[in-house]
Amino acid sequence: MPSAVVLAADGFETIECLTVVDVLRRGGVRTLLVSVMSTRDVVSAQQVSVTCDCTLDEIDMDDFDYLVLPGGMPGTTHLRADERVCELVRAFAATRHVAAICAAPSILGELGVLDGRRATCFPGFEKTFPAGVFAGPKTVVVDGNIITASAMGQALPFALAVLGDIAGEVAVEKVREGIQLDGPVA
């Protein structure tokens, strides 16, 4: 069974984080919401308290195929400041899959994993990208094993793109039907 980890730090963007968890689980992907904080409890940028499935110290990341980074501030800052997260981003970008939305793609830019790629992010955070990488605003960009999205308004298309990459178009169509989503999402 395909598997994903969605990392959460205090100050994460609620919709960006929970939409991808919801869509992946609906699509049959083993998905864990993982706190990078010292406890399983995290608080979103919108002051929504969430209890994660576990903390980063409680799981073996070798058991997972996909790493997802939600945006939000200061959640993105907390993710970037955690060296464990930085090591995971580098490792997953090199050998597995990484997805990041909103401000979080800036982490990929700062860590050098976007060289030679196309990516997007929330306006202003593209300054961390190498020249020629920014693919434009208000979109989802799939480039090989890396998926990026621009902002909360792209949370559902982002989640469906990740699901499609992990589990295929049959899973995407099942979820689209189940949530009564007609037409293109991007």
Side-chain angles (χ1 to χ4, degrees):
M1 171 188 275
S3 58
V5 165
V6 179
L7 297 181
D10 285 342
F12 68 93
E13 174 60 49
T14 311
I15 290 175
E16 294 167 2
C17 182
L18 298 181
T19 299
V20 74
V21 172
D22 180 288
V23 166
L24 293 178
R25 287 181 179 177
R26 286 175 190 262
V29 176
R30 178 176 161 245
T31 306
L32 290 183
L33 181 58
V34 178
S35 169
V36 302
M37 309 308 290
S38 60
T39 71
R40 292 181 182 192
D41 298 319
V42 292
V43 179
S44 78
Q46 296 73 35
Q47 301 305 302
V48 176
S49 298
V50 175
T51 299
C52 295
D53 299 306
C54 60
T55 67
L56 189 53
D57 292 331
E58 294 175 318
I59 64 168
D60 182 356
M61 292 297 289
D62 290 336
D63 296 338
F64 295 89
D65 307 305
Y66 234 99
L67 179 67
V68 181
L69 307 175
M73 294 303 274
T76 297
T77 303
H78 292 310
L79 292 174
R80 176 60 178 98
D82 191 320
E83 190 52 42
R84 299 170 305 167
V85 173
C86 295
E87 289 175 22
L88 287 170
V89 167
R90 288 183 192 104
F92 274 72
T95 62
R96 294 180 249 174
H97 302 268
V98 177
I101 184 171
C102 195
S106 66
I107 298 169
L108 281 59
E110 290 176 2
L111 296 177
V113 301
L114 294 178
D115 292 339
R117 305 266 192 170
R118 299 289 287 159
T120 191
C121 61
F122 192 82
F125 288 92
E126 71 276 4
K127 66 182 179 272
T128 68
F129 291 4
V133 168
F134 186 61
K138 298 182 183 177
T139 189
V140 175
V141 177
V142 179
D143 188 335
N145 66 331
I146 295 178
I147 298 176
T148 54
S150 56
M152 183 190 70
Q154 297 300 317
L156 186 54
F158 172 72
L160 289 168
V162 173
L163 177 62
D165 195 38
I166 295 173
E169 288 306 310
V170 170
V172 170
E173 287 310 312
K174 175 186 169 204
V175 170
R176 289 174 66 94
E177 183 178 304
I179 64 174
Q180 298 188 349
L181 181 64
D182 293 328
V185 291

